[in-house]
Structure formats: C-alpha cells, structure tokens
Amino acid sequence: MTRSIPKKVAVIGASGYSGEELLRLLGQHPGIEVACITSRQYAGKPLGEIQPQFRGHPVLGAIKFSDSDVEGIVASGAEFVFLALPHGLAAEFAGPLLRNGLRVLDLSADFRLHDPAVFEEFYHGKHPAPELLGAAVYGMPEIHRSEITRARLVACPGCYPTTITLPLVPLLKRGLLDPKTIIANSLSGVSGAGRKADVGFLFVECNESARAYGVPVHRHLSEIEQELSLAAGETVRINFAPHLIPLNRGMITTIHVNFSDSADIEAVTSAFEADYGSESFVRLLGASAIPDAKHVFRTNFIDIGWRFDTRTGRLILLSAIDNLTKGAAGQAVQCFNLLAGFPETTGLL
Amino acid sequence: MTRSIPKKVAVIGASGYSGEELLRLLGQHPGIEVACITSRQYAGKPLGEIQPQFRGHPVLGAIKFSDSDVEGIVASGAEFVFLALPHGLAAEFAGPLLRNGLRVLDLSADFRLHDPAVFEEFYHGKHPAPELLGAAVYGMPEIHRSEITRARLVACPGCYPTTITLPLVPLLKRGLLDPKTIIANSLSGVSGAGRKADVGFLFVECNESARAYGVPVHRHLSEIEQELSLAAGETVRINFAPHLIPLNRGMITTIHVNFSDSADIEAVTSAFEADYGSESFVRLLGASAIPDAKHVFRTNFIDIGWRFDTRTGRLILLSAIDNLTKGAAGQAVQCFNLLAGFPETTGLL
Amino acid sequence: MTRSIPKKVAVIGASGYSGEELLRLLGQHPGIEVACITSRQYAGKPLGEIQPQFRGHPVLGAIKFSDSDVEGIVASGAEFVFLALPHGLAAEFAGPLLRNGLRVLDLSADFRLHDPAVFEEFYHGKHPAPELLGAAVYGMPEIHRSEITRARLVACPGCYPTTITLPLVPLLKRGLLDPKTIIANSLSGVSGAGRKADVGFLFVECNESARAYGVPVHRHLSEIEQELSLAAGETVRINFAPHLIPLNRGMITTIHVNFSDSADIEAVTSAFEADYGSESFVRLLGASAIPDAKHVFRTNFIDIGWRFDTRTGRLILLSAIDNLTKGAAGQAVQCFNLLAGFPETTGLL
Amino acid sequence: MTRSIPKKVAVIGASGYSGEELLRLLGQHPGIEVACITSRQYAGKPLGEIQPQFRGHPVLGAIKFSDSDVEGIVASGAEFVFLALPHGLAAEFAGPLLRNGLRVLDLSADFRLHDPAVFEEFYHGKHPAPELLGAAVYGMPEIHRSEITRARLVACPGCYPTTITLPLVPLLKRGLLDPKTIIANSLSGVSGAGRKADVGFLFVECNESARAYGVPVHRHLSEIEQELSLAAGETVRINFAPHLIPLNRGMITTIHVNFSDSADIEAVTSAFEADYGSESFVRLLGASAIPDAKHVFRTNFIDIGWRFDTRTGRLILLSAIDNLTKGAAGQAVQCFNLLAGFPETTGLL
C-alpha cells in the first residue's frame, strides 16, 4: 500500500445496519480517514457506545457521532460522502453536498431511477430532486464501471437488484434469453428491513417464519427492470417474488427463464466467462456447486450458478450475496474505490 | 366423542421426525390405542427415554419400542399400521402386513407412483414391490377422498407435493392454466431432511445459510407431475426448485404460472371456493393475506393465497404448510380417519 | 368428559404472546366457552385476522376482539377472567371485576407480592390497589393448591420464578439447603419480552446474540424471594442472573447451592419424590437426564434434574419450562381448573 | 507493515471449524505465507472446493490440502505449525515436528495440563506424550506473555477457560476473592462441538433448544483450575456449568463469587485496570454495559463486565468472546505473533 495522504470520507446515517457494515469495511480500508460520522439520534456519543462491536477499534474506536448537517460534513474536510439514510432523506443531502464539491455515494433508492415518472409510480410521490437524476450513475461496477469512475453522484443498488441483475445482464445483452419469461424468486435475511422498531421484525415474529411479501409489485422492481431493459435493448417486465427468511444477513435468488431460439447452455457459460471471468467479486460456479448465503457471508462476492433443465427447456440461474456487503455497503466501497482511484478490491478482500 | 372400542394402530419407525409427529398426533386422538411402536435402534426402551417430550404423557408415557418385525406388529392386534421408514424400507413391510389383513399408511415415497418406470427413472433402481402399486392410493384427501376411504394401502404424499399440488389441481382440472408455464419455488425447514447424522444438516451448517438443492430434478417431481397430469388430463412438466432454510419446521411455496386464454383471477377464486370452500384443512386467503410458515406451525392446515400480476399477466400462487404435519404425519392421520371411519378432523383440530 | 354446561371465560389483553398461548390452550379445553376476548388495539376485528394461526379454528375462529372495558366483560356473562395485560394495567381491571363477582386470574406481576413495600422497592411506584393484595393467592398449584382452589384473585407467577421456586421449595422447607448460598442462572427465550416494538428484540439483535440482563436486581427477584422465604421460614436473599438467548420459547435454570449440615443427595431425591412424585406437571429426572427447553416446548411440564458435585460439595439443580406455558398461560389454566372444579390437567395434557 | 520475508506457516487439520477460522485469520495476516494445509479427508482438493467461502481469496484461493504427514509438513518449509486436530491426535504430530525444529501451536487440549495425572483423571487415559508437557506453555498471552514468546510448543486454551480464567486471574492473584466460592455458568454456540456428524448437533436438535451438559465435571475444568490455582497460590476447585444454546459462534460466562474479607468493588476495578488497561484484546466494561456474544462476533476481543450485589455481598463477573476467535484460532494467532516477533495485534484488528 502506498503511503499517500488518506482520502477523507464521511458516513451520514451511520447507525443503521448498512451504516454499521460500511464502518466495518471503512475501518479496514488502508487508504482512507473517516472524517465524520453522523446520526441525529446519537450526536455527541462515541461510536463504540452505540455499536459496541467497535469498542477498542484502532481506527474507529474514538470517533464520535456528530449531527447530520451539511455544514458540519463540509467542515470535516470529507471529499467523499456515503449516505446511509432511509429512502427519501438522501435527496435532501445530496444537492447541497454536490454543490459544495463533495462526491456522493448514496445507498438509498433516491437516485437509482433515471426517469422521475417511474420513481413516482413505484414510490408514490414526486421525486425530491429530479434535477440530480441525470448526473447519477447506477453503482454496479461490473456493469457501469467507466461511468462510476467519473461520477459525482453514485446511486448504489439495492440487494435484490444485485442478485437479479448481475446474472441476467450478460445473457440479455447477447440476446440469449426470452425477456418475457423471467421469473425471479429471492430469499432475504432480516437485516434487509433495517434497524427499526417494528413488530413484524421482532425475533419471535421472524424466527420459525418464512413468508413472501411485496408480491407482485415490490419497489425494487423499478430499478431491476431499468437495468434489464438497458441490457436487452427493449422494455423488460419480470416477475419478482421476495421472501423473508430467518437469517441475519444473506440473500439468494433463483431465476427461471426461457432461452431465445438460438441459445444454449454453452452460450451461457461463455457469456459469463467473457463478462465476469476477470471480475474480482464475481465467482462463477456453473453447474459445479450451488450458491449458499453462508459462503458469501460478510464478503463482497456474488456467487453465480447455472443449470439447464432439459425436461422443460428452461435455464435456472442461482445467485447469492451478503445483502449488507455486496448488496449495500461493500458495493458502495467498491464504487468508492473507483471514484477515489484505489484498486477496486482495496479494503474488501 | 362416542365411547366405542378404540382402533388399534402401530407406528413402524417411530424414532424419526415424522414418526415423532405422528405419535404426538395419535397421542391426542380420542379414538385410537397405540398398540405398538417399533424402532430397530431403540427396541426395549420406553418412548419417553428416547423422545423425552413424551415423558409423563398420559397415553404414550409408558409405551416401549419393540423390534421392527412383521410378526410382532400383527401380534400386537393393530388393524392400522403407519410406516414412517426411510424410502425403500417401507416396501419390505407393506406386502406382509397387507397379506395379514392390516391396512397400511405409508409415509415414504415407495408407493406414491403408479408407474414403476417413473419410479426407476427418479429413484434409480427397480421398484421393490411393483405388484402393490396398483392397490396403492395417493393419500391426499382433498383430491382422492373417496379412493382413500376404501384403500388398503395409502401412499401419503411428501411435503413439497402437498404445497404444490393442492393449489394447482383445482385450476388445472378446469383448464385455467397453461400447464407448460408452471414454475414452483419451495422453501423447506430442516426437519424435512430427517433425523440422520449428516454434516450438511448440522446446526452450524444450516443456521445463517440458505441454498437451493436438487435443481433441476428433485425426486419429488415425479409424484408432483403425476398428480398434475391427472388433473390436467395431459402430461405436465414443471420447473421445481426446492430450497433449504433455517427453520425447524415449515414449508412455503411460490408458484408462477400463465393463464390459459380464457381464464382470469375471478375464475381462480371461484375454483378454489368450489373445491376447497368446505375443506376443513384448506384456508383460502386470496389476496387478503400472505401464507407464512409460522401461521400453520404444528397444524394440519394448508394456507393458500393468490395474486394476479397485471404487468406480466401471470398468476402467483402462494402456499404454506407444516412439513411434518400436513406435509407428513398430519395428512397421514387425516387419511387414517377416512379409513377408520372417524370424522376427518379427529385428533387434528 | 361430562356434558355439563361450559364455564364462560374472558381473556383481557389477548393479543400478546401470553394471551395468544392462553387462547391456544382454552381453544382445546373441553369444559369452557370463550365468552369475550378484548384488545384495545384490535376491537371489532376477528381473532383469525390478527393472529392468523387461529383462522379456521373450530371454536375460536369466529370470535371477535371487543374493547377492554369492565361493563362489556361483565355483560359477556364470563365467570372467570384472565388478565394478560402489561404490568400496572391489571390492577385497574381486577377491582371492578371482583366487585362484580367475577373470579380473576392475573398473569401480570401486579398481585404477586403480599407486601406493598416490597412492590414499591422493586417496581418503583405505589401499588395501584394495595387493598386487594390480601385476597390474592400466588398461583403455583404445586405449592399453594388449596388456597388457589378457594381464591377469587389468583396472581399467576412469572416464568423465572417458576423455574427457580419449584426446584428449591421442597428442599428449603426441609432445611436441606444453606439458604444464603443460592445462585440461580436462567436462560430465557425472547417471547418473554412480549410482543412490543423495541429495537433490542428485533430478529437481528437477538439472533447470534446471548447476553445477561437485569443483573444484579431483576424485578422477579421480589416474588422469588417471597416464596423461598415462606418455604425456608426465614428471609432468603439469592443471586439471580437472567440471560436472553435466541429461542422463541423456552427457559432453563441452573441453580448452585450448598447443603445444610445434615443433608445429602439422597435426601434431595426423597424430598422431590415426596412432594412432586404425584404431580401431573413435574417430571423428575434426577441424574438420569438433563432438562432441555425443547423437551417441554408447548407443554405445561417442568423438568427437574439434580446432581451433586463431590469436588465442591455443592448441589446443582436444573430445570426447564416453556416460558409461555408453565411459565405463563399454562400455569394460569392449571389454576383455572382448580378454581372451576375441573381435573387439574384438563386441556393441558 | 515492513516488507520482510514472510514467515511460513502450516495448518494441520484445516477442515474443522477452528481450522477454518484460523485460515480466515491467516489469510488477512500481512506477514505470513501459508506453506501447507492438511486434511486426511480432503488431500489433493483445493481449499475453495471444500470451504467455498475461500473461493476467489487472493491468498488462499489456490492452495490445496495435502495429506497430514510430518515429512510433508517439514518439506513445505513451514517454520510454525498450527495443529487444529481432535484431542488425542495432536500429540502424535507435536513430537516429530518439534524434533524437526518447527515451533508448534496446538489448539487441542493435549498439552494444556502440566500434570499427567490430572490429564488421566479428566481425559480417562494415559497422556500420549508426557515428556513434552514440561516444554508446553499455556497460550494465554494476557497471563503468560513472556513464556509464550520463548516457547517451542504452545498449548492454546479452550473457549470456556478463556472466558473464566481471564476475569478471575487479576482478582485471585491479589487475594480479592474467596476461591472456594467460585461458580461459573457458561453459554456456548454450537460450533464449539466441532464439525462432526452427530445427531445431537443437527439443526433441528439445537434450534429452539437450550441445555446444560457436562455437569458437574466437564473436561475443561482441569485447565481452568490449573490456571486459577496458579493465580491464587493455592488449590482452587470451582463449579462450572456449560450450556449449549442456538448460536453458530459466541460464548458468554457469568461468574458469581464472594469477596475475601478485605476486598471491595473499587479494588476489582483497580485490578482490572492495572492488569488489562493496556491489553489490546481485553475490553473492560465495568458496570457500564453488559457483554454480549454479538459484540465480539468474529473478533479476538474478550469483553469483561462486573457488578456488585449489595443484597448478597457477591461479585458478578460477566464475559463474552467468540469461541472460534479469542476462544480458539484468534488466540492462537495472537500467540503466533508473539513467537514470530510480530506486533501482537497483526492480522487480528
């Protein structure tokens, strides 16, 4: 590691599960200094008191939460700001921070959609800052690496879109699939719901429970279909059924889809190897193994497997990520590395 | 409850998870006497020592395991025998027991398929007693009630088939669905794997894990497709992806399927109400609620929900059962009630 | 079962975990009619909508929540009222209900202490109805059976006191233990915290977590020491450390204690056999097996084991209950059976 | 980090849970090279195939298991060998490896006891290599740092001893406690039982279960009492009750103990601050917070809290570790850093 001056970063809304994972990753990143972490609720308190796993951490141990105001963030000297805020709140911060010259990595859904009309349809309200949508880049490095490198505002994807989009894009862009036949079923750990007091996410309500939700129209469909349509070169509508299962962390997705006329399983394998063979965070399992949430636990990997069902003629795509890492904070750090000029894996492997 | 002479029953292979659930249900059945329980491993030991939850049970407390031999079972005076044995072993018992005039409820897969060729294809070996296949009735009371009532050998369905077949049959038999487009994703608790020493099912291997398995061809596909084909009046091939999740008990299934030309969501609702409106163990949720494994925990209910996705034109069917109750032992007791002339819900509600 | 007129009962505060378990048990009780269930939050809604496991229940399915007011309860014709309310609220209901001639079984801590000064010390406020304390009987049938039978107000014990008091009382009352040396460590499932929106009891906060709490002075110490002092004939002060572990239901307790001069392990065994040998819900394991939460799951049993450590000369007592059954609702139904003249095990075995 | 030549290490028995955690930690250690990993069962297979979480790891990804023979280990050039073998097997390797000049860190119990007679008493057999016991150093750096630095054979402590010994030693060596009154209750995650096919550790057997075991005499008592006796300067016998709870990883311990005549809670605080105030891996919580398994998850920290119960006059000590890190592999790496001349926290913070 070069001994250059560390990049100063800020984390806004650091007390949720994504914020916590972001701090864990930033705490092991050799090229940065955490200049400021904010939390309205915990301003003034040391991180280690609120999130005791950070007590005694050599880098983060002594840091205190400050209030979540733009002037303070700017004054901290941060060049890069991670927004780990509830949906809707990020847009309030992004504009002022960008105008002050900071570069913003937003983990919320506020800037993931290019079309404000789609935002309205799926989020049931006007977009709070539509003028920024044009500048925002969708933060999936394996798909949009070069735009991310130059971006001032990165809209980091959600966990469901990561497990669904990454397996499909190489195949859709080559015309290997019938885009009308995509059916994605996803299983999510409970941390995806955030650290909020809600009876539905109590231990007793989630343990020994398994349930679908958000069927048939979950909000994340909007960004999934945006990215799939871009890859396919046509409007893609899919079926997507998310399920909540009793894991702290982890997400797996199973996709069933028909081939287009010309495709076969070898073409699938070739497409994955061509697009992802050199990717640091994509592990291609093919038919040799099945992705499992535990194998990607606390890593930034996505595992992708694929099988062909000769009986029905359908392709089955299987993927697994840690919803808080590759599905949130890890992917954001991966984008940050691109923005800040670090090797993409810095602090992540 | 009438004070008639209790029916004598035997449970063969009582020390597994299905056997244990069977004993729990039989222990609360007011019309039976457990004449004999067998276990090769635990012969001579009292049930309460091996399965301590039964210690002090007013009916089962004192009962001892005997060895698993046909003569002993016959000598016990049992009229009805539940076989809760590993697949392949049940066929050894069924023939001799039937020849001795006992009626047999088999919880294994040995007699679920009518066609020995299909058995060979999916179970990779000759069927051990093909001469009995003709007599066996598939033990799903909501579909085959009248045959079960008269049967001497009932092949009780597995848990996956129960969650998939029951939602589809009323729709397929009315021609409401395009049978080529059925895609079923199921999530199963770990008890489905049985009580056997296997590293893959250790606590540490299953907790914080979620994984598909048996993709694309799981053994239970054979009985699922047999029953769906019967309902549809044509050969049906489906995609089925089972997943293992960290629950002790419980199974949910999400099915995506296209309508046939003439169908709509009202026809779906009508079909369910017509076929299942009077069923004691089918709870029709429609679009009002989502089936959840915890709501059917330790019950013999199957919860069924359905939604129509106007965006893709697909129907989504959702179901939930307890894999050990409606998915195994409860359904077997429901069949037993039919065989023995009890009201179908006796001991189950 | 005699075909006598069923006893009418009401459940006040039926939407929490104890209320839910109470309804499950009452739903299988052959001698009662649930005349009224109340919930301020859910008044007017059917039980099955709020607690979907009760959908389709032959007895409880159709019942609706009513508002929690005394007149309505009285008007329902209920003779017996279960109060499953948060601590502090039960006292508001008990007085008016008693004055209207109803008999009350309170699951809260409001009436468990005989001395209002002790209540103030442990609950940090004046007792809301000290005039009722004299009439209240501590609802532990194995210890206070005859008083319960005649009681108008039964204060049902908490889960911790049940696992600690039942193993100790037979030994203390015979002078076998040095009462100054009692150290009790208990492990509780999360349902003990109730169904309330609290970040500390979210799935993600409790799964993969284990922690002591309420050390060194937990509120339940007050009733534990009251009962132990009664048994010992002198003031007893103990150490009690409760721990929260990731179970839905279940509680185990491990007690270390020194013998008094004259005692030995045979005297312990004799005492347990003399006092509990005929009890329906106490299973004496001695040194033959170790109590496990899973063995008492959804039962009203308490399992008790004991060992002598020859190296240190200390006795180890081990106990296990289901915190919602023997630790709350089951014990309340056991008391109800005594009040209403049913065999003590009715609806519980 | 200096760019010196990396130290070559070997891991023998790398396929168990401790071996896996060891590889995780070694994989992020900047000063080592993993020269050889062995497993009888998996010889010839790449690590990533057997433990898929290591697929794609920049350092460990390509490494293959070799057979577990001494010549191969010596030939690999390893200077330091970690033995992560079942108890009893380590002794077979230690002698030959030491004679070949390698330095050995043993994670098993084989060399933790100084007295072969104590080994025989607790492990029910002759010690396999008593001649090595004199050379072995107990690998608890906070207590035996200087001996570890010079050791050729380090016997790394178990998880229970770590949670019990570290809180007690500073107090015992100052005479603050009555050593006859120590009662330790510990709660362990299931990974402590190892990755072995055993029905008792299946998911279904451990989930929704909590149970004591090994009461009153668990094998680890022997090393606990050895270390406590050394600190106290007299023979110490304690009560120790281990419990199994449904966690993958994590251990908490609650100790109750009486003060000696002269002690008070301030003396306790002073002792901890004096002995552990500068320790990198001991976090002193005092009465400000309660140790929780989740706060030390995947870290090498031990959290220690303490409270005084004025009602009974007893001190309560609370501790938490990750059983696989500070309770096994992390502590071993901490010892390795001392042996190899690295800063003690290298690869661990």
Side-chain angles (χ1 to χ4, degrees), chain A residues 93-229:
Chain A
F93 282 85
L97 290 167
L98 289 167
R99 285 194 291 278
N100 276 282
L102 285 74
R103 296 173 82 180
V104 174
L105 299 117
D106 179 23
L107 278 74
S108 86
D110 286 5
F111 298 104
R112 294 178 192 156
L113 298 174
H114 305 323
D115 182 346
V118 176
F119 184 92
E120 277 186 47
E121 178 191 346
F122 280 84
Y123 291 86
H124 310 297
K126 289 264 174 212
H127 192 281
E131 71 283 3
L132 298 177
L133 291 182
V137 172
Y138 195 67
M140 200 172 268
E142 291 79 6
I143 313 291
H144 300 291
R145 181 168 286 115
S146 62
E147 305 96 294
I148 295 168
T149 305
R150 299 183 303 266
R152 304 205 62 77
L153 172 57
V154 179
C156 299
C159 40
Y160 289 120
T162 300
T163 62
I164 296 171
T165 306
L166 284 175
L168 284 169
V169 163
L171 312 184
L172 281 174
K173 78 181 197 197
R174 285 172 175 83
L176 301 179
L177 306 179
D178 175 354
K180 290 184 178 54
T181 63
I182 299 169
I183 290 170
N185 281 268
S186 297
L187 283 54
S188 174
V190 186
S191 61
R195 182 185 265 140
K196 56 170 182 279
D198 183 324
V199 166
F201 302 111
L202 289 179
F203 182 84
V204 177
E205 302 301 317
C206 295
N207 189 37
E208 291 294 296
S209 162
R211 55 189 191 259
Y213 70 99
V215 172
V217 185
H218 185 279
R219 288 177 164 190
H220 283 181
L221 253 184
S222 53
E223 56 179 292
I224 294 168
E225 291 180 346
Q226 167 183 286
E227 294 299 308
L228 298 185
S229 299

Side-chain angles (χ1 to χ4, degrees), chain C residues 180 205 208 225 311, chain D residues 208 225 248 294 311 314:
Chain C
K180 290 185 177 52
E205 301 301 317
E208 291 295 295
E225 291 179 348
R311 300 167 72 262
Chain D
E208 292 294 295
E225 290 179 348
N248 273 8
K294 76 181 168 199
R311 302 167 69 264
R314 275 193 201 97

